Amino acid sequence: MEINSSKLWLSDLDEVIASMPNLNKLSGKRIMVTGCTGLICSAVVDLLIRWNETHAEKIIIVAAGRNPGRITARFKPYDRQEWFVPVQYDASSTENELNFPCDYIIHGASNASPNRIIKEPVETMLSNFLGLKLLLDYAKARGSKRVLYISSSEIYGKKNDNLPFKSDEYGYIDLLNARNSYSVGKRAAETLCASYAAEYGVESVIVRPGHIYGPTATESDNRVSSAWAYAVAHGEDIVMKSDGTQIRSYCYCLDCAGAILQVLLYGENTHAYNISNPNSIITIRQMAEILAKAGGTCLRIELPTVDERKSFNPMSNSSLDSSDLQGLGWEGLFDAERGLAHTVAILKEIS
């Protein structure tokens, strides 16, 4: 069963759309979404698809990803609609052919897998930077209205207290740790956005999502929120490889998708907005306990291996202050209890 056949998922989509009446400003516009089959951007595409299903005037969705077959499989039967345009795009390549105009670009294509970051730090860093450069050049040549870059809370590095990061606070990142190829690559890409705006007038906005979760994650996603959600949906216990005291800003994928579209419409040029639901700033252990309860399973703690430790996010506190985002009129609809419970219920429904 496909996720867009889930009654609960459709209900969640409708709830977010109802909270965003100004989405009609995108009617008749062409929006390219890269990384369209990923956890975050597939939720963005689903939201736009649902808008088109329930409104007369359509948004043209250019769904860009590395694997055209995967795009078709993820979004069927909508891939046959006139307003849905699948396009091959690889953030790690400079050979992409984008021979069409776009009003807006949402760039979410990136390697965010902890295991792949460890194995491919060079590719991780270069794709973050070069993939964005290609799109900024494209926007400059085609006269696109705006590029939205999906960065990461990992750009903040380490801090010495447990207060949420504001958008102008930056902590320490070890530049010589290959695990930080992801966070340093994201930092450099943000500066590239600001540089293209200053030199060429290419308008861009930046979002820094916290720890996003939801049923749009694939089963191969090895981020703990995704892996544990699938485990409990299958009736398996959660195995945690740390004490779980790290503080994270969790956010349901549809709250994140709504935030992205709100920033696309109303964000200030070259400003960065944290995506964080203030009702979902909890520890990893609390997140695991909520998931285990939702799935009716247990939480077990085991010691990590040396290789497992290498892939851990080094930030003990990556909580985010989302006041700038809320100032644009965004509000999270799904707190941790509700969002995680919906994630497990939808995964059970479609499995």
Side-chain angles (χ1 to χ4, degrees):
M1 179 179 176
E2 304 298 328
I3 190 170
N4 282 313
S5 298
S6 163
K7 292 181 179 179
L8 182 55
W9 180 245
L10 294 178
S11 175
D12 287 352
L13 287 167
D14 288 340
E15 184 175 349
V16 174
I17 288 172
S19 74
M20 301 184 68
N22 289 336
L23 275 182
N24 60 9
K25 292 181 180 294
L26 296 176
S27 295
K29 305 300 183 185
R30 181 181 288 255
I31 303 176
M32 178 162 60
V33 183
T34 73
C36 68
T37 60
L39 166 60
I40 292 176
C41 284
S42 64
V44 174
V45 173
D46 279 351
L47 202 57
L48 297 176
I49 286 173
R50 187 61 174 171
W51 169 271
N52 283 348
E53 281 194 302
T54 54
H55 293 78
E57 193 171 358
K58 309 303 182 186
I59 299 167
I60 309 302
I61 306 165
V62 179
R66 284 183 300 176
N67 188 329
R70 187 175 173 187
I71 298 173
T72 299
R74 172 61 178 81
F75 297 109
K76 64 181 182 184
Y78 306 105
D79 63 296
R80 295 193 293 271
Q81 297 288 342
E82 290 182 357
W83 41 260
F84 188 94
V85 184
V87 168
Q88 187 166 14
Y89 168 82
D90 185 349
S92 65
S93 173
T94 57
E95 304 298 323
N96 295 285
E97 295 185 10
L98 305 175
N99 300 317
F100 49 83
C102 265
D103 297 293
Y104 296 99
I105 301 167
I106 297 173
H107 180 41
S110 177
N111 169 33
S113 165
N115 288 351
R116 281 188 59 204
I117 292 170
I118 289 297
K119 293 178 181 177
E120 302 173 358
V122 173
E123 292 80 0
T124 296
M125 192 166 186
L126 289 177
S127 64
N128 274 328
F129 192 81
L130 296 178
L132 175 63
K133 180 185 183 301
L134 181 143
L135 293 175
L136 289 169
D137 285 335
Y138 165 83
K140 174 173 172 280
R142 292 284 183 170
S144 299
K145 297 178 186 299
R146 171 167 278 192
V147 176
L148 182 144
Y149 177 58
I150 301 178
S151 185
S152 169
S153 61
E154 286 201 32
I155 63 100
Y156 286 113
K158 296 180 180 179
K159 68 182 309 192
N160 296 322
D161 58 51
N162 288 332
L163 296 175
F165 279 99
K166 296 182 183 295
S167 61
D168 58 354
E169 289 184 314
Y170 301 100
Y172 170 74
I173 294 179
D174 182 357
L175 302 182
L176 300 183
N177 181 345
R179 169 61 179 82
N180 293 329
S181 60
Y182 179 77
S183 51
V184 173
K186 289 287 189 181
R187 275 191 176 186
E190 289 193 16
T191 305
L192 192 64
C193 284
S195 300
Y196 266 73
E199 187 169 346
Y200 302 123
V202 177
E203 190 164 311
S204 61
V205 283
I206 298 160
V207 293
R208 296 169 179 161
H211 288 254
I212 311 304
Y213 66 88
T216 51
T218 63
E219 197 156 4
S220 61
D221 188 333
N222 63 357
R223 287 170 284 193
V224 291
S225 56
S226 302
W228 291 348
Y230 272 98
V232 301
H234 295 326
E236 301 168 5
D237 290 344
I238 290 175
V239 180
M240 189 166 66
K241 297 296 185 79
S242 71
D243 58 11
T245 57
Q246 304 94 322
I247 301 170
R248 302 287 185 249
S249 278
Y250 290 101
C251 188
Y252 188 49
C253 58
L254 285 182
D255 272 340
C256 181
I260 286 169
L261 293 173
Q262 193 77 358
V263 172
L264 183 71
L265 286 169
Y266 299 110
E268 179 184 342
N269 186 27
T270 67
H271 189 75
Y273 295 84
N274 290 331
I275 298 181
S276 169
N277 187 331
N279 296 316
S280 296
I281 297 177
I282 56 177
T283 65
I284 291 177
R285 185 185 183 106
Q286 287 174 306
M287 183 265 293
E289 290 170 345
I290 293 170
L291 280 172
K293 179 182 177 183
T297 62
C298 297
L299 168 62
R300 295 188 287 112
I301 299 176
E302 295 180 1
L303 292 175
T305 65
V306 172
D307 286 341
E308 286 170 336
R309 281 188 179 278
K310 289 180 181 179
S311 67
F312 287 179
N313 181 338
M315 299 169 67
S316 60
N317 170 30
S318 59
S319 60
L320 305 175
D321 181 311
S322 59
S323 55
D324 286 354
L325 175 61
Q326 291 171 290
L328 299 180
W330 176 87
E331 183 179 354
L333 302 177
F334 300 85
D335 63 15
E337 291 273 357
R338 185 170 180 240
L340 290 165
H342 279 215
T343 297
V344 175
I346 292 167
L347 291 178
K348 285 184 175 182
E349 188 180 353
I350 65 178
S351 61

